[in-house]
Structures are given as C-alpha cells and as structure tokens.
C-alpha cells in the first residue's frame, strides 16, 4: 500500500479564518496535540507576518520532535531568512515557499511575466536550499494555471532543489476530475518529477475540498494538506479528519496508509474548536455531535440490532467516549495528576496546583465531573500566561429584576496592579456587565460577537463564552468558562482585552493564502 503524508496547516491557513486569534501558548498546545494525532508535517505559521507569529513558530519548532515543522514564506529572501531563524532549531527544518502561477495572478497581483515568475521561483528555491534540507514549493492558484506552464516551472524548481511540489486549488474552483487530471498531466510530462513528492491543498468554496483531495491521492499525490475541522479562509480547507476516516473506511477504494492516530480525532477537533471559537456544526461529518445520533425510529431499530446497518464509523474509532464520571470531590492530587496525564496534558508544578484548585472548586458545585469538564479546566490553565501584566477579575455582582434596570458592579486589578471598581447599567445582565468592564479598562473596545455554549450536558454544565471585539482597533477574540454564565462572560471579555499585551507589531499587513 502507498503511504500518504499528512500536512496540517491549522496553525497557518486555519488561523487565517476571520475572527481567529491564537496566542503562542494556544498554538503550542494545538501543536502538541497535532503531534499526538500523528501528522507528518505541521505548518506552524508564517514567521514573517508578525513578531508574534515568529515567536510561536520558533517555540513550536523547538518543542515538537515527532513531526516535521514548517513555516510559510513568500518568494523573497527576507521571508526565507526570517523563516530560517524561526525554524533552525527544529528536528527537521522545512520551508514552504510559494509564488502564484495562474495568468490572472501573474498579471494583476504579481505584475510579472511567465519568465520572471520562473526566474523568481528558481532563485528563491536555490537560495533556500543553502539552509533548508526540505523545501516545499507551491504554485499558488495552480488549478487555474496553464498546464504546460506548470510543467515548465515545476521542472525548473525541482532542478533548483525543491523536494515537494504542491499544486493548490487556492480558490476552491476545480472539480475532482479536473484536479486529478492536472496531477496526471504533471506526472506524465515533468521529466524529473520522480525527484520530488506531489502534494495537494484544497479550499472548500464549492464544497469539494475533501473530494478533490481524494481525487489527487488517486492520481499520484503522496502528501495531502488540510486543517482540523476544515477551518481556514473563506469557506475553509479540506477537513483532515474526514480525509483520514475516508481512507480508513474505504480501503477497498483507497489502498493508502497514513500515520494518523484516529482515536485522537475528537480530542483534536475539540481543542481546535475551543481555542479558535469556531464551533463545529452538529451535522459536521466525523466530529459533529449528530454524527452518531439516530432520531428516526427505523434507524434506531436497525442500530440496536446491528450498528453496521447505519453506522459506518464507530464512535470509538474517532475517540468519542462515554464521558462517564471520572473524578469526584474526594479524589486526591495523585488521582488528579494521573487523570490529566491520561488526557495528554503536561503541566508545570505551579499550573498543576492551579488546575487542582480549580478542580476542587468545581467539585464543590458540580456533582459529576467529566472528561469534558477537566479538558476545559486544563486548557484554561495550560494557556494562561504567567508574569504578564493584565486585567484580572476580583469580584462582580449583577442585580436584575424584570421591573428594574439591570445593574452590574465589578472590581478588578489593572495591569499596573491597581484595584478599580465601578458600576454601570444595561438593557440586560450581560450588557450591564460588559458596560461596567468597558468603563474600568483603559483600552478602546467595540464588541462584535458573543457566543455562549455549554460544556457537556445537564443543568450544572459549565458555560463557555467566546467573544470577538476590537481593542484599540485590533481584532481579537477571547474565551472564558465557568459554571455561571455571567462569570464566563466576564472572563471571556477580559481574556480578549488581555490579548493586546501579547500582540506584537506586524511586519506586513496581510497574511498570504494558498
């Protein structure tokens, strides 16, 4: 069977989803989970885009040992130099460099001739080859490029040292038949194609990203790129968990292997969903909450008699468990530590103490503590920045009655360590709380989105709030969890505000897309 490498770009292309704003600690935690999931290559970011992205890529490159870490670069020496500085400590430094090859992109975006694009591509791959042992070269908008021009430029960049050739469907325009035919043409007409691996990268604008990726695999591609939950620019990217399960379930059609650990799918999906604030639709294939739900009486009867009647994917295959009670109020520190290690978290002693304290507080108010509850607590603790000046909630109170105007009183400490307190009113309890918080912080704030979800089920389930806002003109997102909806809302608000202290001045204004 042919082996297919999995290239995950959740931390680069996925983070370019509108409203997604991950800090370094969150990116590092996702990277560790991607390593557990078994991805072969992870694209940690675009180092030249900002100082924050540079630092995150460097931290991931140093931490990850079992996956190859790569970073994106435009076809410029400065981008390549910055990428090398970020990736040089990786176990296997890898560069992903791209340039557009479609007529519309070359004419209107690059304003270059075909000869100039070829020369730039060759020069930059040659330059990168002086440092990087592995170089992936991408033809941006390949699916709308002239096939003979693709043959010409691919031949040249392989001679210059490219080890992987990626032909992306950048705007999600192509069909499975067309995309497969493009790869066949390249394989049959590029004389040195045996010296490089072929890779596909599909966007989902027409809903065909997964189908196109599978068509590419059928036509000689040995690396497939995508994101967890299919997140990404516009309509997103090919969903890696869907591709992985399709290859597994339909081995009769797709005789290919991967290194992915399928039982890590649900955990990986949940982690990305919560950090990004992009909720997985209930009807999402493989990981949606309705993926294994059967409401029809006929379906229920069939599943009870034999699950294979309607379930082609078993919940256990993708890591969907029973979510039974795992720990209680009488559980000790040793049992707690063993459990968090089972969940895949590695906490410092200080963070372990904070997590155990939060766990004990939860058991005082919640009868059943589940894996989902612990997962939420641990994510908050693991990604909490230490030794960083920030706003911290001290106490709050909200007064509400149907005949009276809701009023919130809040006390917090400022980044300078000063305690501040005030009260404001609003049309509802959350608005009153947010008006009060806004009055206490110095930053200029405009809330653009508010989303409330429950963690697990039951009347005592944790509340999880995601907010999007502009802080001093910068788009940021924040999240907070608590058993009380208002407390979760306050935490999410301050989490978003505090992110401005992590942001660094950007080198360029707009990220690149493939």
């Amino acid at each position: 069977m042919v082996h297919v490498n999995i290239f995950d770009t959740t931390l680069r292309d996925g983070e370019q989803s509108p409203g997604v704003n991950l800090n370094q600690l969150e990116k590092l935690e996702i990277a560790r989970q991607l390593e557990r999931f078994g991805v072969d290559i992870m694209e940690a970011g675009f180092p030249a885009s900002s100082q924050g992205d540079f630092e995150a890529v460097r931290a991931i490159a140093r931490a990850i040992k079992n996956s190859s870490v790569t970073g994106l670069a435009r076809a410029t020496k400065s981008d390549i130099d910055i990428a090398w500085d970020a990736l040089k400590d990786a176990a296997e430094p890898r560069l992903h460099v791209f340039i557009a090859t479609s007529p519309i992109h070359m004419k209107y975006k690059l304003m270059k001739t075909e000869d100039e694009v070829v020369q730039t591509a060759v020069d930059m791959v040659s330059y990168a080859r002086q440092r990087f042992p592995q170089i992936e070269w991408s033809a941006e908008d390949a699916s709308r490029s002239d096939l003979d021009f693709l043959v010409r430029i691919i031949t040249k960049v392989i001679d210059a040292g490219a080890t992987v050739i990626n032909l992306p469907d950048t705007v999600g325009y192509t069909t499975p038949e067309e995309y497969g035919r493009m790869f066949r043409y390249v394989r049959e007409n590029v004389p040195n194609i045996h010296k490089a691996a072929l890779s596909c990268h599909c966007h989902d604008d027409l809903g065909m990203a997964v189908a196109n990726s599978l068509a590419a695999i059928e036509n000689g591609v040995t690396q497939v790129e995508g994101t967890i939950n299919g997140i990404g620019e516009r309509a997103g990217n090919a969903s890696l968990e869907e591709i992985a399960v399709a290859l597994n379930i339909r081995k009769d059609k797709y005789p290919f292997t991967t290194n992915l650990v399928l039982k890590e799918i649900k955990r990986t999906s949940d982690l990305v969903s919560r950090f990004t604030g992009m909720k997985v639709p209930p009807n999402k294939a493989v990981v949606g909450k309705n993926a294994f739900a059967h409401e029809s009486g006929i379906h229920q009867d069939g599943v009870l008699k034999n699950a294979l009647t309607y379930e082609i994917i078993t919940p256990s295959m993708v890591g969907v468990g029973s979510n039974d009670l795992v720990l209680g109020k009488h559980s000790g520190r040793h049992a707690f530590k063993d459990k968090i290690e089972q969940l895949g978290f590695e906490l410092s002693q200080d963070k372990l103490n904070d997590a155990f304290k939060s766990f004990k507080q939860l058991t005082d108010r919640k009868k059943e503590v589940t894996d989902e509850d612990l997962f939420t607590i641990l994510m908050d603790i693991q990604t909490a920045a230490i030794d960083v000046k920030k706003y911290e909630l001290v106490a709050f109170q909200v007064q509400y009655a149907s005949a009276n105007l809701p009023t919130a009183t809040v006390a917090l400490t400022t980044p300078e360590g000063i305690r501040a307190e005030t009260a404001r009113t609003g049309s509802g309890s959350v608005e009153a709380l947010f008006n009060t918080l806004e009055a206490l912080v110095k930053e200029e704030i405009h809330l653009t989105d508010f989303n409330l979800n429950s963690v697990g089920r039951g009347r005592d389930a944790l509340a999880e709030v995601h907010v999007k806002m502009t802080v001093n003109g910068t788009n940021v997102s924040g999240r907070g969890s608590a058993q009380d909806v208002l407390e979760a809302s306050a935490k999410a608000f301050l989490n978003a505000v505090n992110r401005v202290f992590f942001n660094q001045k950007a080198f360029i204004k707009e990220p690149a897309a493939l």
Side-chain angles (χ1 to χ4, degrees):
M1 298 179 76
V2 177
H3 184 78
V4 175
N5 284 329
I6 301 298
F7 180 114
D8 180 276
T9 183
T10 302
L11 294 171
R12 199 278 299 172
D13 208 335
E15 202 204 5
Q16 291 176 202
S17 304
V20 173
N21 184 263
L22 299 171
N23 64 34
Q24 180 177 324
L25 293 174
E26 291 165 339
K27 285 189 171 187
L28 190 56
E29 201 59 34
I30 290 174
R32 290 191 176 112
Q33 179 55 32
L34 291 173
E35 186 178 33
R36 283 190 287 268
F37 184 33
V39 303
D40 300 284
I41 305 105
M42 66 177 75
E43 191 166 43
F46 184 7
S49 65
S50 70
Q51 183 64 27
D53 224 29
F54 173 86
E55 296 291 347
V57 172
R58 183 166 63 178
I60 292 169
R62 290 173 174 175
I64 300 302
K65 302 304 179 185
N66 298 318
S67 300
S68 179
V69 179
T70 188
L72 186 70
R74 295 167 299 180
T76 65
K77 288 185 177 181
S78 60
D79 273 22
I80 294 169
D81 289 341
I82 293 170
W84 173 250
D85 286 341
L87 293 160
K88 61 185 178 183
D89 295 327
E92 184 189 57
R94 180 184 294 255
L95 181 71
H96 181 192
V97 62
F98 73 96
I99 192 168
T101 56
S102 67
I104 191 170
H105 276 238
M106 289 189 291
K107 180 178 180 180
Y108 294 104
K109 188 179 76 171
L110 299 181
M111 293 179 284
K112 291 179 179 289
T113 65
E114 289 186 353
D115 289 344
E116 288 172 329
V117 169
V118 170
Q119 191 61 53
T120 299
V122 169
D123 288 347
M124 292 305 100
V125 169
S126 298
Y127 181 74
R129 190 62 173 157
Q130 298 173 28
R131 295 171 175 172
F132 288 92
Q134 299 292 331
I135 299 172
E136 174 172 329
W137 177 81
S138 286
E140 185 184 8
D141 206 23
S143 58
R144 295 193 296 175
S145 299
D146 177 75
L147 291 178
D148 289 330
F149 178 63
L150 281 179
V151 167
R152 176 187 168 200
I153 193 170
I154 289 170
T155 302
K156 295 286 188 180
V157 295
I158 292 176
D159 283 341
T163 56
V164 178
I165 301 298
N166 180 39
L167 302 179
D169 182 28
T170 302
V171 295
Y173 175 78
T174 197
T175 67
E177 190 279 329
E178 292 170 338
Y179 202 49
R181 176 157 36 90
M182 177 182 69
F183 282 104
R184 286 199 307 275
Y185 192 87
V186 166
R187 289 176 61 208
E188 292 168 359
N189 291 278
V190 174
N192 55 357
I193 195 62
H194 60 284
K195 296 180 180 180
L198 276 173
S199 180
C200 64
H201 178 120
C202 298
H203 282 260
D204 206 34
D205 297 70
L206 295 179
M208 292 188 284
V210 170
N212 285 337
S213 298
L214 293 172
I217 293 172
E218 288 182 293
N219 285 278
V221 163
T222 56
Q223 177 177 293
V224 60
E225 306 186 8
T227 60
I228 302 302
N229 298 335
I231 66 172
E233 286 192 297
R234 305 185 313 277
N237 290 260
S239 173
L240 283 180
E241 66 275 5
E242 293 180 22
I243 294 171
V245 172
L247 291 176
N248 182 273
I249 296 295
R250 293 304 309 275
K251 288 187 177 73
D252 59 320
K253 177 70 172 176
Y254 305 113
F256 306 99
T257 62
T258 73
N259 288 326
L260 294 180
V261 181
L262 299 189
K263 67 180 181 180
E264 291 289 340
I265 285 178
K266 187 62 168 63
R267 174 185 164 85
T268 311
S269 170
D270 287 347
L271 188 73
V272 170
S273 175
R274 286 174 179 168
F275 279 168
T276 60
M278 299 186 70
K279 189 176 180 181
V280 176
N283 63 330
K284 168 77 165 61
V286 178
V287 291
K289 70 177 183 179
N290 291 347
F292 305 103
H294 303 278
E295 185 172 338
S296 164
I298 295 175
H299 287 205
Q300 290 173 348
D301 179 65
V303 169
L304 289 172
K305 292 175 178 175
N306 187 325
L308 294 178
T309 54
Y310 289 102
E311 280 187 358
I312 62 170
I313 309 168
T314 61
S316 60
M317 176 189 293
V318 297
V320 176
S322 60
N323 200 36
D324 290 334
L325 175 68
V326 291
L327 293 173
K329 66 184 299 181
H330 299 297
S331 298
R333 185 181 296 269
H334 182 72
F336 179 76
K337 184 179 180 181
D338 285 345
K339 186 60 187 179
I340 66 175
E341 289 176 353
Q342 290 175 26
L343 292 174
F345 285 89
E346 298 177 9
L347 272 63
S348 65
Q349 189 59 48
D350 287 342
K351 289 192 173 183
L352 177 62
N353 292 337
D354 290 342
F356 187 68
K357 181 180 177 180
S358 296
F359 162 70
K360 282 298 188 181
Q361 290 174 344
L362 183 59
T363 60
D364 287 337
R365 294 173 290 178
K366 194 174 190 294
K367 184 177 180 180
E368 295 185 348
V369 178
T370 66
D371 280 1
E372 281 190 297
D373 297 324
L374 287 178
F375 191 61
T376 302
I377 292 173
L378 294 169
M379 282 198 309
D380 290 343
I381 296 294
Q382 185 73 313
T383 58
I386 56 176
D387 300 328
V388 175
K389 294 180 179 180
K390 56 187 175 182
Y391 291 97
E392 294 191 76
L393 185 68
V394 175
F396 75 95
Q397 177 178 308
V398 177
Q399 295 177 317
Y400 174 82
S402 58
N404 297 323
L405 193 64
T407 303
T409 303
V410 176
L412 53 74
T413 55
T414 68
E416 295 75 29
I418 300 171
R419 181 185 172 104
E421 184 174 337
T422 193
R424 291 290 189 276
T425 61
S427 300
S429 298
V430 173
E431 185 183 22
L433 180 61
F434 281 9
N435 287 343
T436 310
L437 289 166
E438 189 171 350
L440 287 171
V441 302
K442 297 177 181 180
E443 281 65 36
E444 182 180 342
I445 295 167
H446 176 63
L447 182 71
T448 58
D449 192 30
F450 174 93
N451 189 273
L452 170 66
N453 299 300
S454 65
V455 178
R457 300 178 180 179
R459 62 195 302 172
D460 61 352
L462 286 175
E464 189 170 63
V465 171
H466 290 268
V467 297
K468 295 178 183 178
M469 59 175 70
T470 59
V471 179
N472 299 332
T474 300
N475 293 322
V476 294
S477 59
R479 73 177 190 284
S481 59
Q483 205 161 16
D484 179 80
V485 170
L486 293 176
E487 182 181 354
S489 300
K491 287 181 175 180
F493 185 100
L494 292 179
N495 180 258
V497 173
N498 286 329
R499 286 176 186 264
V500 301
F501 299 105
F502 298 104
N503 292 340
Q504 301 291 333
K505 184 177 180 181
F507 294 146
I508 61 174
K509 291 185 178 180
E510 294 182 0
L514 288 179

